[in-house]
Amino acid sequence: MREKIILICEDCLSRNYTVERNKLTKTDRMVIKKYCPKCNKHTVHKETK
């Protein structure tokens, strides 16, 4: 069972990315370092609730 999640930038709090993850195998929140177009740099993106 896969679910869509939204990744939010930790610096500017903009919602930049939507990704899918497996709900059964990945139970913790996703944290990825990705490019933020608003900040114009690579920042940490976290999964929103």
Side-chain angles (χ1 to χ4, degrees):
M1 176 110 188
R2 297 183 72 76
E3 66 176 350
K4 288 185 179 179
I5 58 169
I6 299 171
L7 297 177
I8 186 168
C9 178
E10 225 177 32
D11 294 343
C12 66
L13 302 177
S14 63
R15 291 174 168 85
N16 296 321
Y17 297 98
T18 57
V19 292
E20 287 185 357
R21 73 168 184 156
N22 193 338
K23 188 191 271 189
L24 300 175
T25 59
K26 305 286 185 185
T27 56
D28 54 339
R29 284 199 171 188
M30 188 180 284
V31 177
I32 303 175
K33 191 168 185 181
K34 293 182 77 72
Y35 178 76
C36 178
K38 192 172 181 183
C39 297
N40 200 19
K41 60 183 175 180
H42 284 82
T43 58
V44 175
H45 283 70
K46 288 188 176 181
E47 175 183 342
T48 58
K49 190 74 177 180

